[in-house]
């Protein structure tokens, strides 16, 4: 049958191949191995013989130095002619040496090469032994588990953390640490509170410095724990030594007065003021107290009748102006003698201030570090009523836009406080404005009542927010002496001038408006920077806007890069809004000879605004600038008139035409910006050793011009290369852009031509 004949034919061909061909030895099966270093790891290598049967001995050997990673680095395999393959086994040696990934190559060789037996492919295998025995190390602290440090004073101090990398030191290892478990957030006392520590390859020990911060906060002992949280790079963290405790000893003992105010009668004779060290507000000890602490003080008095005078109204009984806390002492008492006289007096005050710069020892000043002492009004049993003199130390100003209820005016009762007393008050305008006071605040009149023993009453006023732009308005508060009830008296000061500040932006808010009207314009008469401003809300008074307009070339929009000589104005300019004017449009001419670069910007910044023709009664809220203080206008190609040049300045190499009398060459020109028409004049100049040989018979024309129409960015220069029968050497000419007509600069102005002979 045909199929049986075909089978016989194929068997015959196969027999001829095996009996007449060469014998080939090679590896068979897997030739790339990735294994772990264990005592049971064995690599199975199969060696196969193909071709003509023959007795073959093959050698498997490790390439390179024997590193001790395998029990056997050499093996021989004998394949008799009756078999086709043999298997060789390579055992991995499990040592205790930290090692990174290692790749080894085993080669197959023949001990007795012959013409009939040869090596086939593949004839090598690779074995990669993965990293082992902690090749990348075990990370831990190598220091005391508890560190005690002092918080530095006036500086920062370092705490060194010593870390070691045991076993292997291969590769870069990054450890993440975090400081936790303190009584307060760690970042208040230590820096950084978390971060990374890096071991570079081969490094087994390093010191990482933490910073102890001088926070000037009274504290008892604080215990923080530095934890090694995680590690990257193949290493491990030793869980038995992965944390260190840092104890910051108690510090910054607080020094303060026991209370901030004392109000004493004139007949008290002796005033005792307590100064406390090392206790918080609840009386608990805090901070160190085992060392001496000292601080100086000063007495502050004024020159008005509302201020007590040293040696006239009181005496300082301290031997000097330094307060000393000896070790373990927490309270010191200051003594002052109040001098009793027969002169009727309103309340008189003086202050005692602890001076921070004089503090010595481990301590900080905390509030209250200033004591206000008031000697009560005296020699008037039912009291003397007056407006609180403290209000006259600065002008009383009410902001209508921010405050709806004002309680900043107080009436005091000096002298005695027996019985209930009252007095009527009234508020009037202190100007020519005839509108009622109640249009701006209520009530405009009322009665103040002092109960027995009461020394101070606050006046409560409701401020009307009417949304009407108004200038500052003055008001006069009067205590009406003839309305007094209860036997008291009215004394000076009995009148107070106060103001409601300008409101609702009465002098206006200046800003760019509308934003789309801020633009660069170009027309036959020239180029302009067109700006538009608006004065919103109030338009009272003349307002002066100070602004800058800068030209910044293409690149970073940085005012430091600004270039002068572009605008017909100085950098800083002033724009005046007359009273009543709400809009202002400004056209700033751009110099006719100015080059505007494509991609450059005009940066307009609003610097400030001020009222120029009137002085407000009190510092005004307006005029002010709007939220957008600067804008930038980008110069686009249709506005730019910057540069003209060749697209490429690489040399052009041409050959003299052979099949035609001449060849036309076009060289591309490009301009950056397309505003206006530009004419560029060019010329050819022979160059090189054969420059005298270049004539009109070789190339023409030798000069000319091209025109860029408005809006056109590209054109060409056309040059004719002529053929002749004259033997010539290579000739070189330079094409140069010589000059231009319009506002463009020339860049990349030379181009080299070489005509090869």
């Amino acid at each position: 049958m045909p199929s049986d004949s075909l089978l016989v034919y194929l068997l015959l061909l196969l027999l001829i191949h095996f009996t007449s061909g060469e014998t080939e030895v090679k590896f068979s099966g897997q030739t790339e191995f990735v294994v772990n270093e264990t005592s049971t790891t064995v690599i199975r290598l199969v060696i196969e013989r193909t071709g003509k049967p023959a007795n073959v001995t093959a050698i498997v050997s490790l390439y390179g130095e024997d590193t001790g990673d395998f029990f056997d680095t050499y093996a021989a395999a004998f394949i008799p002619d009756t078999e086709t393959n043999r298997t060789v086994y390579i055992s991995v040696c499990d040592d205790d040496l930290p090692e990174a990934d290692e790749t080894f190559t085993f080669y197959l060789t023949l001990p007795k090469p012959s013409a009939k037996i040869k090596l086939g492919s593949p004839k090598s295998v690779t074995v990669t032994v993965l990293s082992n025995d902690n090749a990348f190390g075990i990370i831990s602290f190598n220091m005391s588990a508890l560190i005690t440090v002092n918080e530095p004073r006036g500086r920062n101090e370092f705490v060194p953390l010593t870390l070691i990398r045991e076993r292997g030191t291969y590769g870069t290892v990054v450890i993440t640490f975090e400081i936790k478990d303190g009584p307060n957030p760690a970042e208040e006392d230590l820096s950084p509170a978390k971060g990374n520590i890096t071991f570079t390859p081969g490094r087994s020990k390093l010191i990482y410095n933490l910073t102890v911060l001088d926070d000037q906060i009274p504290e008892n002992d604080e215990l923080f724990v530095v934890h090694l949280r995680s590690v990257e790079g193949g290493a491990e963290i030793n869980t038995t030594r992965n944390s260190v405790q840092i104890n910051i000893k108690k510090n910054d003992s607080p020094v303060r007065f026991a209370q901030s105010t004392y109000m004493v009668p004139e007949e008290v004779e002796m005033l005792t003021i307590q100064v406390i060290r090392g206790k918080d507000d609840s009386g608990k000890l805090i901070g160190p107290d085992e060392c001496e602490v000292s601080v100086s003080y000063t007495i502050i008095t004024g020159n008005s009748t509302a201020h007590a005078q040293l040696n006239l109204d009181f005496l300082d009984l301290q031997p000097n102006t330094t307060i000393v806390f000896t070790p373990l002492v927490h309270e010191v008492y200051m003594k002052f003698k109040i001098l009793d006289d027969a002169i009727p007096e309103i309340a008189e005050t003086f202050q005692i201030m602890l001076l921070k710069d004089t503090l010595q020892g481990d301590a900080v000043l905390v509030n209250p570090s200033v004591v206000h002492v008031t000697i009560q009004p005296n020699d008037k049993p039912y009291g003397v009523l007056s407006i609180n003199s403290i209000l006259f130390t600065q002008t009383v100003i009410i902001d209508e836009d921010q405050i709806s209820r004002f309680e900043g005016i107080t009436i005091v009762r000096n002298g005695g406080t027996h019985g209930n007393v009252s007095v009527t008050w009234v508020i009037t305008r202190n100007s020519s404005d005839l509108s009622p006071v109640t249009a701006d605040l209520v009530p405009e009149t009322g009665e103040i009542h002092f109960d027995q023993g009461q020394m101070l009453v606050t006046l409560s006023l409701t401020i009307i927010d009417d949304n009407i732009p108004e200038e500052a308005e003055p008001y006069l508060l009067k205590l009406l002496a003839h309305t007094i009830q209860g036997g008291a008296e009215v004394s000076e000061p009995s009148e107070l001038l106060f103001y409601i500040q300008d409101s609702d932006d009465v002098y206006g808010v200046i800003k760019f408006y509308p934003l789309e009207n801020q633009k660069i314009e170009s027309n036959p008469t020239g180029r302009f920077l067109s700006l538009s401003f608006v004065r919103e809300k109030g338009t009272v008074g003349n307002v002066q806007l100070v602004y800058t307009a800068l030209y910044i070339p293409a690149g970073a929009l940085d005012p430091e890069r600004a270039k002068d000589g572009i605008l017909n104005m100085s950098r800083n300019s002033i724009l005046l809004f007359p009273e009543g004017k709400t809009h202002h449009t400004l056209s700033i001419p751009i110099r006719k000879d100015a080059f505007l670069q494509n991609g450059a910007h005009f940066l307009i910044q609003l610097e400030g605004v001020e009222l120029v023709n009137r002085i407000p009664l009190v510092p005004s809220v307006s005029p002010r600038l709007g939220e957008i203080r600067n804008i930038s206008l980008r110069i686009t190609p249709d506005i730019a008139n910057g540069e003209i040049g060749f697209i490429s300045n690489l040399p052009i190499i041409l050959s003299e035409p052979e099949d035609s009398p001449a060849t036309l060459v076009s060289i591309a020109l490009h301009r950056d910006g397309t505003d206006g028409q530009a004419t560029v004049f060019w010329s050819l100049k022979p160059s090189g050793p054969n420059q005298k040989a270049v004539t009109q018979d070789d190339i023409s024309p030798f000069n000319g011009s091209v025109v860029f129409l408005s809006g056109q960015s590209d054109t060409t220069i056309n040059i004719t290369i002529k053929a002749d029968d004259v033997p010539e050497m290579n000739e070189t000419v330079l094409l140069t852009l010589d000059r231009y007509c319009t506002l463009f600069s020339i860049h990349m102005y030379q181009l080299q031509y070489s005509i090869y002979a």
Side-chain angles (χ1 to χ4, degrees):
M1 294 177 66
S3 58
D4 292 337
S5 300
L6 179 60
L7 180 59
V8 171
Y9 176 71
L10 292 175
L11 290 174
L12 182 61
L13 287 178
L14 186 60
L15 179 62
I16 293 172
H17 171 74
F18 278 108
T19 57
S20 63
E22 295 179 337
T23 301
E24 187 177 79
V25 181
K26 61 181 179 179
F27 283 117
S28 176
Q30 184 177 354
T31 59
E32 293 183 0
F33 299 86
V34 178
V35 298
N36 292 312
E37 183 185 273
T38 68
S39 60
T40 60
T41 301
V42 177
I43 301 159
R44 178 176 175 272
L45 304 179
V46 179
I47 303 170
E48 182 184 45
R49 188 204 66 217
T50 59
K52 184 177 180 179
N55 293 327
V56 175
T57 298
I59 305 298
V60 177
S61 60
L62 175 66
Y63 176 74
E65 180 185 357
D66 181 6
T67 58
D69 289 277
F70 302 94
F71 283 106
D72 298 305
T73 61
Y74 178 93
F78 175 71
I79 305 175
D81 58 0
T82 58
E83 298 183 19
T84 59
N85 60 70
R86 271 288 186 272
T87 300
V88 173
Y89 298 93
I90 304 295
S91 297
V92 175
C93 180
D94 184 11
D95 55 30
D96 292 329
L97 300 176
E99 296 165 315
D101 289 357
E102 297 177 290
T103 299
F104 302 89
T105 302
F106 286 88
Y107 281 98
L108 182 65
T109 59
L110 297 174
K112 296 180 180 180
S114 66
K116 295 184 178 181
I117 302 175
K118 67 175 183 178
L119 288 175
S121 180
K123 57 183 176 181
S124 66
V125 297
T126 60
V127 178
T128 298
V129 181
L130 296 176
S131 60
N132 53 81
D133 298 305
N134 296 111
F136 302 104
I138 302 174
I139 310 300
S140 64
F141 285 111
N142 186 31
M143 57 190 296
S144 172
L146 174 63
I147 308 170
T148 299
V149 297
N150 293 314
E151 182 178 293
R153 186 168 181 83
R155 58 186 176 83
N156 293 329
E157 187 169 297
F158 294 116
V159 178
L161 301 180
T162 303
L163 290 88
I164 59 172
R165 183 182 186 185
E166 299 176 292
R167 303 289 293 170
T169 60
Y170 289 97
T172 297
V173 172
V174 180
I175 306 98
T176 300
F177 73 90
E178 184 178 22
I179 304 176
K180 286 288 189 180
D181 305 328
N184 305 308
E187 55 267 18
E188 295 179 4
D189 294 277
L190 295 166
S191 176
K194 57 183 177 180
N196 295 328
I197 302 172
T198 301
F199 276 91
T200 54
R203 190 167 187 179
S204 62
K205 181 178 180 180
L206 64 76
I207 296 176
Y208 184 85
N209 288 318
L210 291 177
T211 301
V212 182
L213 304 176
D214 178 18
D215 56 12
Q216 304 258 321
I217 298 173
E219 295 162 322
N220 287 323
D221 286 359
E222 297 177 291
L223 188 65
F224 297 93
V225 181
V226 184
H227 298 274
L228 301 182
R229 293 298 192 192
S230 61
V231 62
E232 294 181 1
E236 299 178 7
I237 292 176
N238 186 341
T239 57
T240 64
R241 289 185 292 162
N242 63 346
S243 64
V244 167
Q245 293 180 318
I246 299 177
N247 178 41
I248 302 177
K249 295 178 67 175
K250 57 185 178 180
N251 56 82
D252 296 328
S253 177
V255 175
R256 62 181 174 86
F257 287 111
Q259 61 190 70
S260 62
T261 60
Y262 290 83
M263 184 168 287
V264 296
E266 188 180 57
E267 58 272 15
V268 73
E269 290 193 359
M270 191 67 65
L271 170 63
T272 301
I273 296 177
Q274 185 184 30
V275 187
I276 300 174
R277 182 269 289 261
K279 291 184 179 181
D280 61 16
D281 292 339
S282 64
K284 295 180 180 179
L285 294 179
I286 186 170
D289 59 2
E290 63 274 7
C291 60
E292 181 176 285
V293 168
S294 66
V295 64
S296 296
Y297 68 90
T298 186
I299 297 174
I300 302 173
T301 63
N303 297 320
S304 72
T305 56
H307 295 92
Q309 303 301 313
L310 181 63
N311 299 325
L312 183 63
D313 295 299
F314 67 97
L315 300 175
D316 182 1
L317 301 181
Q318 277 58 243
N320 55 58
T321 58
T322 299
I323 302 169
V324 178
F325 292 90
T326 55
L328 304 180
V329 172
H330 301 101
E331 293 91 15
V332 170
Y333 297 90
M334 303 175 69
K335 302 285 187 179
F336 295 88
K337 181 176 178 60
I338 307 300
L339 301 178
D340 189 7
D341 56 33
I343 302 172
E345 295 164 316
I346 62 173
E348 297 173 308
T349 64
F350 66 94
Q351 298 178 31
I352 306 165
M353 177 185 292
L354 300 179
L355 302 177
K356 180 180 179 180
D357 293 341
T358 67
L359 193 64
Q360 298 292 324
D362 191 0
V364 293
L365 285 185
V366 298
N367 289 326
S369 61
V370 179
V371 163
H372 296 265
V373 179
T374 300
I375 302 175
Q376 293 178 349
N378 49 78
D379 303 312
K380 290 290 182 180
Y382 299 104
V384 178
L385 306 186
S386 64
I387 297 172
N388 196 337
S389 59
I390 213 166
L391 298 174
F392 295 88
T393 59
Q394 60 183 19
T395 305
V396 177
I397 301 173
I398 303 172
D399 188 344
E400 175 189 305
D401 297 330
Q402 302 293 328
I403 297 174
S404 60
R405 191 171 187 85
F406 183 70
E407 296 182 341
I409 298 176
T410 53
I411 312 301
V412 296
R413 183 184 188 183
N414 298 322
T417 59
H418 296 282
N420 299 328
V421 299
S422 66
V423 67
T424 300
W425 57 269
V426 65
I427 296 176
T428 59
R429 292 186 182 274
N430 197 43
S431 66
S432 59
D433 189 350
L434 300 178
S435 60
V437 171
T438 53
D440 297 310
L441 60 86
V442 292
E444 64 178 331
T445 186
E447 190 174 54
I448 296 173
H449 294 269
F450 286 85
D451 295 331
Q452 181 166 319
Q454 188 176 6
M455 302 180 64
L456 185 143
V457 171
T458 298
L459 206 63
S460 182
L461 301 175
T462 298
I463 309 303
I464 307 300
D465 185 6
D466 52 16
N467 293 321
I468 300 173
E470 296 170 305
E471 293 188 89
E473 298 176 287
Y475 301 86
L476 187 64
L477 167 68
K478 295 181 181 180
L479 299 182
L480 304 180
H482 65 279
T483 65
I484 197 78
Q485 299 289 328
E489 298 177 10
V490 172
S491 177
E492 298 298 331
S494 62
E495 295 184 359
L496 174 68
L497 181 65
F498 67 94
Y499 300 85
I500 294 182
Q501 205 168 15
D502 61 293
S503 62
D504 301 295
D505 292 303
V506 64
Y507 301 119
V509 180
I510 308 297
K511 64 181 183 179
F512 295 106
Y513 184 82
L515 287 178
E516 59 268 19
N517 281 10
Q518 324 302 322
K519 55 190 175 182
I520 306 170
E521 295 183 338
S522 178
N523 55 52
T525 64
R527 296 169 296 173
F528 303 89
L529 198 58
S530 182
L531 305 176
S532 180
F533 304 95
V534 67
R535 181 182 183 184
E536 292 185 340
K537 298 189 177 180
T539 59
V540 174
N542 297 339
V543 171
Q544 178 176 280
L545 170 66
V546 180
Y547 68 95
T548 58
L550 306 174
Y551 171 78
I552 301 177
L557 192 61
D558 183 357
E560 295 294 329
R561 299 180 60 246
K563 179 181 177 182
D564 292 326
I566 301 299
L567 297 171
N568 277 334
M569 58 170 282
S570 61
R571 287 194 177 193
N572 294 319
S573 298
I574 293 174
L575 182 64
L576 183 67
F577 278 84
E579 182 165 345
K581 186 167 185 178
T582 59
H583 291 80
H584 214 310
T585 300
L586 184 65
S587 290
I588 303 175
I590 300 172
R591 290 178 54 167
K592 293 185 178 180
D593 59 349
F595 296 110
L596 300 186
Q597 187 181 11
N598 184 24
H601 290 80
F602 282 108
L603 177 65
I604 300 92
Q605 298 176 309
L606 305 185
E607 304 292 346
V609 63
E610 62 178 316
L611 195 62
V612 295
N613 68 331
R614 62 182 68 201
I615 301 176
L617 296 173
V618 292
S620 61
V621 177
S622 62
R624 61 184 178 88
L625 295 174
E627 292 183 3
I628 299 177
R629 302 290 179 90
N630 59 72
I631 60 171
S632 63
L633 302 177
R634 182 181 176 88
I635 296 172
T636 54
D638 60 320
I639 296 296
N641 63 336
E643 297 176 328
I644 296 176
F646 298 111
I647 291 179
S648 171
N649 64 347
L650 295 176
I652 298 176
I653 300 174
L654 304 170
S655 297
E656 187 176 285
E658 298 290 344
D659 301 326
S660 61
T663 298
L664 185 65
V665 178
S666 297
I667 299 94
L669 287 182
H670 179 79
R671 68 169 174 171
D672 181 15
T674 61
D675 185 38
Q677 179 173 303
T679 302
V680 181
F681 296 88
W682 57 269
S683 64
L684 289 177
K685 182 179 179 182
S687 176
N690 298 319
Q691 55 182 293
K692 293 183 179 180
V694 181
T695 67
Q696 293 277 1
D697 294 332
D698 298 307
I699 186 170
S700 67
F702 268 71
N703 55 63
S705 63
V706 293
V707 176
F708 285 91
L709 300 178
S710 181
Q712 183 181 359
S713 61
D714 295 281
T715 188
T716 58
I717 294 175
N718 295 322
I719 296 174
T720 301
I721 309 300
K722 301 177 181 178
D724 58 29
D725 295 327
V726 179
E728 294 167 313
M729 301 290 288
N730 292 343
E731 298 173 332
T732 300
V733 295
L734 289 177
L735 172 59
T736 304
L737 305 183
D738 297 322
R739 57 193 176 91
Y740 54 91
C741 289
T742 192
L743 297 182
F744 280 86
S745 64
I746 291 178
H747 76 109
M748 209 187 298
Y749 64 92
Q750 284 191 337
L751 196 61
Q752 179 176 298
Y753 281 83
S754 293
I755 305 174
Y756 277 19

